[in-house]
Amino acid sequence: MFAARKRILVTGGGGFLGSHLSRLLLSQGHEVLCVDNFFTGRRRNIHDLMDHENFEMLRHDVTFPLYVEVDAIYNLACPASPIHYQFDPVQTTKTSVVGAINMLGLAKRLRIPILQSSTSEVYGDPTEHPQTEAYWGNVNPIGNRSCYDEGKRCAETLFFDYHRQHKLSIKVARIFNTYGPAMRPDDGRVVSNFICQALVGQDITVYGQGTQTRSFCYVSDLIDGLVRLMNTPPQITGPINIGNPNEFTIRRLAETIIAMTGSKSRIVEKPLPSDDPRQRQPDITLAKELLGWRPAIELEEGLMHTIAYFDTLLSEEGKSIIPDNA
């Protein structure tokens, strides 16, 4: 934890992860400057924070320079689901790369620490399993997902170059599949897709035979890991994997959600998208050793909270918020 109150900038603060991070930082007594252009963030995610005396909201796109006075930066700004980051791939790359340059420039001017929310996508379709931070990845540089994968890889390069060249205090977290309340129902990720489909009785779409695996980390665990990483000594830079190492097939996830919701939904198979990773599992040895961190919430407990969130959301906003191709 920080020893004293800090004014902390959270880019992407209106998004899924950013809103949870902002809420935790406020609970620790810090001031939060939340920056978001609301391309994928939602105002309802931070509605309960708007009247908080230590919370400030600024609508801004990180691809443009930002001139503020803060004590630390969490750089979370970037669409993180395939549907959204492929909608405008050029802007996605600019958000990762130009956004990183702008936030690093701000951190350099202020001489403050900055944390980058990188991703397990930097490993691509891995040939090493589970993935350690030393693994360089197996990424297609010209595919449909490359705007995100390579954008995040380039951002990591920039962070470490600023660290080496300008002695900037950096932290890089490689985030694995995360889920929980405040996810968008239309973000195209499997947890939100399956839950929304199950709640309204739609067929649950599995790509391929559903044998590909993922490791799902509940959002509160992930946010705890980010804050622990930010508060490590300067010599700890990362990258550090933050995710739940318990591995599940996509089909098992679908079956679990059907059972937990009591849904009549059927599982239907569709062709695999291009460059879809077959396996994804973090090696979290470094996180345990350097951060004293390990996930505390297992899948069924996390799904229970997430199902309740989407059940309320669908009752408030209606079935129409679920895309036809979810």
Side-chain angles (χ1 to χ4, degrees):
M1 304 299 173
F2 288 106
R5 174 183 289 189
K6 303 290 184 180
R7 178 169 165 79
I8 301 174
L9 168 60
V10 179
T11 72
F16 167 43
L17 298 183
S19 59
H20 283 277
L21 175 61
S22 296
R23 197 168 285 108
L24 177 60
L25 294 173
L26 288 170
S27 75
Q28 294 175 349
H30 301 301
E31 298 177 28
V32 172
L33 173 58
C34 169
V35 167
D36 207 301
N37 67 355
F38 291 104
F39 174 62
T40 56
R42 306 183 80 197
R43 289 188 179 276
R44 70 170 290 142
N45 290 345
I46 53 173
H47 179 75
D48 62 311
L49 305 180
M50 297 302 287
D51 293 330
H52 197 293
E53 62 179 356
N54 291 331
F55 182 80
E56 181 181 354
M57 174 67 223
L58 175 64
R59 185 162 192 155
H60 179 81
D61 187 325
V62 296
T63 63
F64 296 93
L66 181 63
Y67 302 100
V68 293
E69 301 296 321
V70 292
D71 301 305
I73 302 170
Y74 287 84
N75 186 38
L76 275 59
C78 189
S81 71
I83 285 178
H84 291 139
Y85 66 62
Q86 291 176 26
F87 175 77
D88 188 345
V90 172
Q91 183 63 23
T92 296
T93 303
K94 288 172 66 177
T95 300
S96 289
V97 178
V98 179
I101 291 170
N102 287 333
M103 291 305 106
L104 286 163
L106 177 61
K108 175 174 173 278
R109 178 177 70 84
L110 298 175
R111 304 308 302 173
I112 59 173
I114 179 170
L115 181 144
Q116 166 69 358
S117 63
S118 191
T119 171
S120 61
E121 298 293 338
V122 301
Y123 299 123
D125 188 6
T127 57
E128 175 183 297
H129 190 77
Q131 293 81 58
T132 68
E133 293 85 351
Y135 177 53
W136 289 358
N138 177 38
V139 179
N140 177 0
I142 59 171
N144 292 333
R145 302 168 67 105
S146 305
C147 58
Y148 185 68
D149 302 359
E150 296 287 43
K152 288 289 191 176
R153 285 163 68 93
C154 184
E156 287 196 14
T157 300
L158 287 162
F159 266 70
F160 279 91
D161 283 340
Y162 267 77
H163 174 65
R164 287 184 287 258
Q165 186 172 339
H166 301 296
K167 311 304 179 189
L168 192 62
S169 177
I170 66 161
K171 312 288 181 182
V172 174
R174 289 180 177 163
I175 297 172
F176 283 68
N177 293 65
T178 305
Y179 70 98
M183 295 183 81
R184 289 179 59 125
D186 62 346
D187 72 1
R189 286 182 272 197
V190 288
V191 172
S192 52
N193 273 6
F194 289 179
I195 289 175
C196 289
Q197 289 169 332
L199 287 173
V200 301
Q202 291 180 357
D203 290 342
I204 288 185
T205 307
V206 168
Y207 295 98
Q209 295 182 320
T211 55
Q212 63 272 44
T213 65
R214 297 293 184 270
S215 304
F216 300 101
C217 185
Y218 190 65
V219 63
S220 62
D221 284 334
L222 185 281
I223 297 303
D224 175 52
L226 294 184
V227 173
R228 285 173 183 255
L229 176 56
M230 176 63 98
N231 294 323
T232 54
Q235 63 268 27
I236 296 177
T237 61
I240 292 183
N241 291 335
I242 301 182
N244 193 318
N246 292 340
E247 192 176 13
F248 296 87
T249 67
I250 297 300
R251 181 172 288 274
R252 180 181 170 191
L253 174 68
E255 292 168 346
T256 300
I257 289 173
I258 289 172
M260 291 183 69
T261 57
S263 177
K264 306 283 187 195
S265 296
R266 299 177 305 127
I267 297 175
V268 297
E269 297 177 359
K270 290 189 177 182
L272 274 171
S274 62
D275 302 325
D276 189 54
R278 291 162 296 177
Q279 289 184 302
R280 190 59 60 71
Q281 181 189 26
D283 183 312
I284 61 168
T285 302
L286 280 182
K288 289 189 286 189
E289 291 178 352
L290 299 179
L291 310 182
W293 178 88
R294 68 180 67 215
I297 297 180
E298 294 304 338
L299 185 63
E300 289 202 7
E301 180 184 353
L303 286 176
M304 179 180 66
H305 298 306
T306 311
I307 289 167
Y309 165 77
F310 278 114
D311 195 26
T312 300
L313 186 68
L314 291 173
S315 67
E316 292 176 353
E317 299 191 12
K319 181 179 175 180
S320 62
I321 64 175
I322 304 174
D324 292 336
N325 61 347

